[in-house]
């Protein structure tokens, strides 16, 4: 199916983000169209004229993907979907189209440092053989001693950056909650999969992706594992891919 062309207004301004006036929206709490107590995309569409009148030109959506929502949606269980509470993919496509009709751009939040432990990638990894490409989608260890110099971010709930997984028979690494295993960006297949997810949303018409928890993408022994040079290398690869695929969008 051919992609619907974007309007000339969007095409003419590849540096639109430099002076964007951004309005952050959490779909679940914005406007409820069906009286089930949860905001949704049809409700957000109904409010686009009001949002336009506020003088903004860009909407930034917080995570709306399928999720157990143990961390308000930042624990993503499926990258290419939408939580049923918020609507359908058809609703998302209609929302993007209606926003663009009003010359409103759309940025979505995309968490690439970690997933939910319910994500199919993790469920596959924990059952795969140690050392296999599937297992190595995440970061594993036989003990909790590796990366000992790394701070624990959520000291109020976590006692370690490692959590034992009885199915895998190993510990998995997580910089946030113990139900959010970190992806392993030293595995080229992870980068390939993440870039595929980005292209999916860009092809749908999303104007930009706000990437969450970026400082923690790479782990190295003997460091504090934050903002490492190798992490910046990952970002350069992402930037190059987006420039080649969609030069008027931002990651």
């Amino acid at each position: 199916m051919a992609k619907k062309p974007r309007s000339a207004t969007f095409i003419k301004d590849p540096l639109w983000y430099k002076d964007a006036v951004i309005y952050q929206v959490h779909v679940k709490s914005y406007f409820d169209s069906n009286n089930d107590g949860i905001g949704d995309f049809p409700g957000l569409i109904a409010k686009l004229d009001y949002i336009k009148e506020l003088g903004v030109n860009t909407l930034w959506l917080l995570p709306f993907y399928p999720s157990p929502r143990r961390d308000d949606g930042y624990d993503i269980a499926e990258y290419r979907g939408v939580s049923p509470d918020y609507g359908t993919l058809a609703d998302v496509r209609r929302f993007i189209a209606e926003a663009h009709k009003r010359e409103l751009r759309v940025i979505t939040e995309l968490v690439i440092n970690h997933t939910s432990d319910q994500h199919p990638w993790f469920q596959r990894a924990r059952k795969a053989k140690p050392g296999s490409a599937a297992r190595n989608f995440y970061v594993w260890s036989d003990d909790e001693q590796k990366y000992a110099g790394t701070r624990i971010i959520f000291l109020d709930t976590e006692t370690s950056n490692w959590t034992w997984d009885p199915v895998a028979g190993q510990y998995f690494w997580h910089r946030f909650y113990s139900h959010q295993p970190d992806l392993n960006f030293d595995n080229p297949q992870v980068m390939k999969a993440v870039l595929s997810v980005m292209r999916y949303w860009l092809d749908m018409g999303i104007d930009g992706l706000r990437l969450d928890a970026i400082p923690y993408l790479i782990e190295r022994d003997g460091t504090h594992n934050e903002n490492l040079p190798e992490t910046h290398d990952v970002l350069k690869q992402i930037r190059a891919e987006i420039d080649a695929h969609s030069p008027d969008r931002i990651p």
Side-chain angles (χ1 to χ4, degrees):
M1 182 182 294
K3 289 188 292 184
K4 193 172 182 179
R6 288 151 64 82
S7 73
T9 303
F10 292 106
I11 295 171
K12 286 180 180 177
D13 188 8
L15 299 179
W16 60 269
Y17 51 86
K18 289 197 170 184
D19 58 359
V21 181
I22 300 173
Y23 187 80
Q24 186 188 76
V25 173
H26 207 343
V27 178
K28 76 169 189 178
S29 58
Y30 197 76
F31 190 77
D32 174 12
S33 71
N34 58 4
N35 297 316
D36 66 353
I38 303 172
D40 46 48
F41 276 101
L44 186 54
I45 292 168
K47 290 296 183 180
L48 284 175
D49 288 333
Y50 163 74
I51 291 171
K52 176 70 175 179
E53 290 173 0
L54 296 177
V56 305
N57 57 24
T58 305
L59 288 172
W60 167 16
L61 303 187
L62 298 186
F64 55 82
Y65 317 96
S67 166
R69 292 212 290 268
R70 296 180 66 187
D71 187 20
D72 203 23
Y74 283 81
D75 48 334
I76 297 174
E78 173 51 60
Y79 279 115
R80 297 173 189 253
V82 56
S83 172
D85 288 336
Y86 307 157
T88 66
L89 280 172
D91 292 329
V92 175
R93 292 187 180 96
R94 187 163 67 92
F95 161 73
I96 295 169
E98 293 295 330
H100 285 172
K101 281 182 185 178
R102 295 161 175 81
E103 298 190 352
L104 292 168
R105 296 182 187 272
V106 179
I107 296 173
T108 60
E109 189 97 349
L110 189 66
V111 186
I112 66 170
N113 176 70
H114 54 262
T115 68
S116 165
D117 58 8
Q118 301 306 304
H119 196 289
W121 294 349
F122 185 75
Q123 292 301 312
R124 180 183 62 187
R126 68 200 301 233
K127 297 171 186 174
K129 293 180 180 179
S132 66
R135 173 67 67 94
N136 288 339
F137 249 65
Y138 296 83
V139 182
W140 301 89
S141 178
D142 292 328
D143 58 51
E144 297 181 86
Q145 304 310 309
K146 200 172 183 181
Y147 311 140
T150 307
R151 71 186 176 102
I152 298 171
I153 295 173
F154 294 146
L155 283 169
D156 54 336
T157 59
E158 305 300 325
T159 59
S160 173
N161 288 314
W162 294 102
T163 289
W164 175 256
D165 183 68
V167 175
Q170 284 188 303
Y171 293 89
F172 65 83
W173 179 253
H174 54 90
R175 289 308 307 275
F176 292 86
Y177 294 112
S178 58
H179 54 81
Q180 294 170 315
D182 278 23
L183 288 165
N184 177 17
F185 276 88
D186 283 323
N187 180 350
Q189 293 304 311
V190 169
M191 175 66 86
K192 182 179 178 181
V194 167
L195 288 174
S196 178
V197 168
M198 292 180 179
R199 288 192 296 268
Y200 174 82
W201 290 107
L202 295 172
D203 287 345
M204 197 177 291
I206 292 296
D207 300 285
L209 300 163
R210 190 265 175 183
L211 306 181
D212 184 66
I214 287 300
Y216 317 108
L217 296 184
I218 295 289
E219 303 79 30
R220 291 292 181 268
D221 274 323
T223 76
H224 52 49
N225 287 311
E226 296 182 15
N227 293 306
L228 300 182
E230 293 89 342
T231 294
H232 290 270
D233 291 339
V234 170
L235 296 179
K236 289 174 184 177
Q237 291 180 59
I238 293 173
R239 177 74 266 179
E241 176 73 16
I242 300 302
D243 283 346
H245 181 268
S246 305
D248 60 334
R249 322 296 174 83
I250 58 170

